[in-house]
Amino acid sequence: MNGTQDLSQQAYFHLRPDGAFVGNDPARGPWSADHCHAGPVSGLIVRAAETEVGPEKMLTRLTVDLLRPQPLTGLRVAAETTRHTKTLATTRVTVHDLDDTLCATATTMHLARCNLGPVPNVTITPPRLEDAVTGPFPIGEIRHGLPGFANHSEVLYPKDGNQGAGPKTVWMRTPALLEGEDPSPIQALCPLADCGNGISWNAPTTEMGFMNTDLTVQIHREPGSDWLASESLCHWQPSGIGMSQSVLYDTQGPVGTALQTLVLFPPK
């Protein structure tokens, strides 16, 4: 099953000898030719936090504050533990550019894994990947002419699903986070998690911009498939403030939710 774009083998980032992450074409966002889409950057944040805490605990919450644009030319990501007990761990993560300017801060929560056997749970049927059909990348208008995130993501829609303005569901398969490295399941979820505003816009970017200032992801199960889905809607207000909310799925069912605070801006 193929999407509307060719999925490049190029990863979002490559690592410089000095430890800085340099964005490749897939990391380029829609608003500026020189800056990253926040989804891959959020993946770098998760990578740093998971490395800091270790594999015994699962990342269950990520909150990212995007303080300024993230330059493709290079980012430095650092994580520190703020609490670590038998049950849980928390971290604080910072993202600086090559001039040591703070670009983003984040916090994470990690919970210890255990094996309880079967437990009572709700059953929610996921969108059917088997019935999905091809369609355009959700944001059709890019404010630069260079290849970026949209060109390096495979996209599918539920059969007879909305492909225009308003709430919609999108399946997405994205590149690896870092050259020469397989991303963890939650690292791989981040690019889609940050797409809620781009999936469920209420008007195209020719009429209104809708940039997110943050991202909060709550995860109750690590995804287990390459194809991941986001069921998203946006609330836009005359104040220029909005919100995107998404339910995230793998092919077996829901894995978490994502929230974004939005700044709305008419085109110049």
Side-chain angles (χ1 to χ4, degrees), residues 129-141:
L129 181 62
E130 297 82 358
D131 297 335
V133 298
T134 59
F137 191 81
I139 298 181
E141 305 84 14

Side-chain angles (χ1 to χ4, degrees), residues 43-91:
L44 291 180
I45 290 170
V46 168
R47 179 181 181 273
E50 290 181 329
T51 300
E52 173 74 6
V53 171
E56 294 78 17
K57 293 180 172 67
M58 187 186 103
L59 190 149
T60 57
R61 179 188 51 77
L62 166 72
T63 299
V64 181
D65 290 328
L66 301 165
L67 306 179
R68 52 180 45 83
Q70 324 285 310
L72 283 163
T73 50
L75 298 169
R76 302 189 189 278
V77 184
E80 61 176 344
T81 298
T82 52
R83 187 181 181 194
H84 203 141
T85 70
K86 182 178 179 180
T87 302
L88 62 84
T90 58
T91 75

Side-chain angles (χ1 to χ4, degrees), residues 106-160:
T107 60
T108 66
M109 171 74 73
H110 308 246
L111 296 182
R113 294 179 174 86
C114 63
N115 186 2
L116 300 179
V119 296
N121 195 17
V122 296
T123 299
I124 299 176
T125 303
R128 283 179 53 86
L129 181 62
E130 297 82 358
D131 297 335
V133 298
T134 59
F137 191 81
I139 298 181
E141 305 84 14
I142 305 298
R143 296 193 174 184
H144 55 75
L146 297 178
F149 185 91
N151 310 102
H152 293 265
S153 302
E154 286 186 291
V155 169
L156 297 169
Y157 292 82
K159 187 178 180 181
D160 300 322

Side-chain angles (χ1 to χ4, degrees), residues 220-235:
H220 56 84
R221 179 172 64 83
E222 290 173 307
S225 59
D226 291 337
W227 282 98
L228 301 168
S230 180
E231 185 180 74
S232 304
L233 63 88
C234 277
H235 304 275

